[in-house]
Amino acid sequence: MKTYKILCLLVVCAIITSCKKSDDGDGENVNPGADADYTLLVKSANGLDAVTLDATPETVTLSSTDSEFNETTMPSLSFKDGAVFSFYQQMESCNATFLKFDFNEDTSKTKELFTDLGACNLTAHAIAHSGNTAYVAYGVEENVSTTDYFVRAVDLNAAAADFTDIPLSKKPVHLAFTNNRLFVLTLDDQVTDENFLTVIDSQTNSILIEMNLGYDAQKLLRNVDDNIIIAYDELHTLMNSETLNAQYIQYQSGKEPQFVTSNVNNFDTQGKMYYEKPSGQFSVYPIIPAVYDFANNLTTLYPFENFLTQAQRDLEYKIENTTMVGYDDKNEYLLIGYKKTGNDDKGGILRVRTGDAAEVIDNIDVDGIPFNIIVN
């Protein structure tokens, strides 16, 4: 059983096949494991719901305690900051709602948006939140050739509508928040097709700077050091959120980590990122679990073929494709969400011990398709 490791700056793709021997080391660093609580967000025909799970180092089972998160219409936009999620929903009635839910505290805040404009008269492109403030980047078409763009900052605690519209000169693509600043990835879709980064001071709602990023910037991420990652297909930029100094990390052609296409990006405490990735030549499954180590510019792939037999994949677990990847820091387990073959409302979670020799710990089947996971 092996994983694939890709050092993105090297020409050679190393396939790791060695297994750690039982006498390697003195055992002092072996993680004994610990109990954990998982909240699994799942997609179904009815929308988005939460499934609570009790986990030990050996087993994972359905919890007897339900989450306070109520099944809701599938959001068109979402944002994650640790265990706090926010969702943007637009209804057929042209109402729009911003829902912020803290899965650690099981508390929520909901705010109706755009009662002044009407949600059907605009297009929301990205959302974020910080504390009690919601951010929605949107565009309003003035005429066939002109669209005005804004970020709306909304006070979630205010009884009445309390918001500030911050004008943008270009189309917003993605948002990230850190260091009391909102970072807005934008696109000049009228003239140059270049991307820009607009930095907004959250205390004053004023624009601090707009920076040219060149072409094909895809999205923004905040790492565990509260700095900003700007993702491109062939490289990423690591930007200090205070000084805005940038470091550029180029990938070797054919060795790109490809997290620009992932829907879910979960970080562990060491700064490694867990995500779903196109498999390329490494698997018959189109999407597989992957881990990107930013410190070492190293991608580790986990094709199902390398730790499950064909009978397990096809008959026992009935895996169709990877839908999300998370990580249990307490037990050092990869958490792989997958859709079951031939069923739009059935999925599962595989817990896998990471390392050069991946090993399945257990599996649990769930109603719905895994969307993301919170570990407490």
Side-chain angles (χ1 to χ4, degrees):
M1 298 181 183
K2 56 182 179 290
T3 58
Y4 293 95
K5 292 191 176 180
I6 304 174
L7 186 59
C8 299
L9 291 179
L10 296 181
V11 175
V12 178
C13 174
I15 302 177
I16 308 300
T17 59
S18 61
C19 294
K20 183 177 180 181
K21 297 179 181 179
S22 60
D23 61 352
D24 285 348
D26 56 13
E28 291 183 1
N29 294 323
V30 174
N31 182 359
D35 292 351
D37 299 319
Y38 302 161
T39 302
L40 177 67
L41 294 176
V42 293
K43 296 188 292 184
S44 69
N46 296 323
L48 190 67
D49 203 358
V51 177
T52 54
L53 304 171
D54 294 330
T56 72
E58 295 80 26
T59 61
V60 59
T61 57
L62 289 173
S63 174
S64 59
T65 304
D66 292 332
S67 169
E68 291 296 322
F69 183 85
N70 295 318
E71 186 174 61
T72 184
T73 304
M74 194 65 200
S76 56
L77 298 169
S78 63
F79 179 82
K80 176 179 182 288
D81 179 13
V84 186
F85 283 66
S86 53
F87 306 102
Y88 178 87
Q89 301 161 314
Q90 182 173 322
M91 311 303 179
E92 292 182 359
S93 60
C94 291
N95 294 325
T97 300
F98 191 99
L99 168 63
K100 176 190 166 192
F101 196 94
D102 186 331
F103 286 94
N104 277 340
E105 303 296 331
D106 249 1
T107 58
S108 65
K109 292 181 182 293
T110 303
K111 196 75 172 179
E112 188 174 356
L113 300 178
F114 300 119
T115 54
D116 56 325
L117 298 175
C120 291
N121 299 320
L122 57 89
T123 301
H125 295 287
I127 65 170
H129 68 255
S130 177
N132 294 314
T133 303
Y135 297 97
V136 182
Y138 70 97
V140 178
E141 187 176 288
E142 292 296 326
N143 52 57
V144 176
S145 60
T146 304
T147 300
D148 295 329
Y149 297 111
F150 304 88
V151 171
R152 177 165 291 195
V154 181
D155 185 347
L156 294 174
N157 278 344
D162 185 359
F163 62 85
T164 300
D165 275 334
I166 307 162
L168 300 172
S169 60
K170 300 169 183 66
K171 179 181 178 179
V173 176
H174 208 224
L175 301 179
F177 191 97
T178 185
N179 196 25
N180 293 319
R181 293 172 174 179
L182 181 70
F183 291 79
V184 186
L185 176 64
T186 64
L187 172 69
D188 182 356
D189 61 345
Q190 295 297 310
V191 181
T192 68
D193 282 333
E194 290 178 293
N195 290 108
F196 290 77
L197 185 67
T198 300
V199 184
I200 297 172
D201 185 330
S202 66
Q203 305 300 308
T204 63
N205 288 329
S206 59
I207 294 176
L208 299 175
I209 192 172
E210 184 179 65
M211 308 169 67
N212 191 322
L213 299 178
Y215 295 98
D216 300 323
Q218 303 288 321
K219 66 180 178 182
L220 305 176
L221 299 168
R222 189 189 74 184
N223 68 9
V224 294
D225 297 321
D226 290 331
N227 292 317
I228 294 295
I229 297 163
I230 306 168
Y232 300 76
D233 288 324
E234 72 284 356
L235 62 88
H236 71 262
T237 301
L238 179 60
M239 179 172 289
N240 185 293
S241 62
E242 175 66 30
T243 66
L244 304 185
N245 290 334
Q247 177 185 1
Y248 305 95
I249 294 87
Q250 188 83 34
Y251 312 134
Q252 174 68 33
S253 179
K255 310 297 188 293
E256 298 88 350
Q258 294 180 290
F259 54 79
V260 294
T261 60
S262 62
N263 294 315
V264 178
N265 305 98
N266 288 312
F267 287 86
D268 66 16
T269 55
Q270 304 303 311
K272 293 180 181 178
M273 187 176 68
Y274 300 77
Y275 64 105
E276 73 279 11
K277 175 190 182 301
S279 62
Q281 69 200 53
F282 297 106
S283 176
V284 298
Y285 297 89
I287 306 294
I288 59 174
V291 183
Y292 183 67
D293 183 346
F294 283 90
N296 296 299
N297 200 17
L298 181 69
T299 305
T300 305
L301 309 181
Y302 289 87
F304 293 112
E305 295 92 327
N306 285 359
F307 53 88
L308 294 172
T309 66
Q310 185 170 355
Q312 288 175 314
R313 301 193 311 268
D314 296 345
L315 303 177
E316 184 176 356
Y317 303 131
K318 300 179 182 178
I319 297 172
E320 179 175 302
N321 213 2
T322 305
T323 60
M324 53 126 289
V325 186
Y327 188 69
D328 178 351
D329 272 295
K330 292 182 178 180
N331 295 290
E332 299 179 1
Y333 292 160
L334 196 67
L335 307 176
I336 303 170
Y338 64 91
K339 178 184 180 297
K340 288 189 177 289
T341 302
N343 198 317
D344 290 335
D345 280 324
K346 297 291 182 181
I349 292 289
L350 277 168
R351 299 200 303 169
V352 177
R353 179 176 287 114
T354 56
D356 293 339
E359 176 187 358
V360 175
I361 302 302
D362 56 12
N363 171 84
I364 187 167
D365 294 339
V366 295
D367 292 329
I369 310 302
F371 174 80
N372 211 325
I373 194 164
I374 302 97
V375 179
N376 293 317

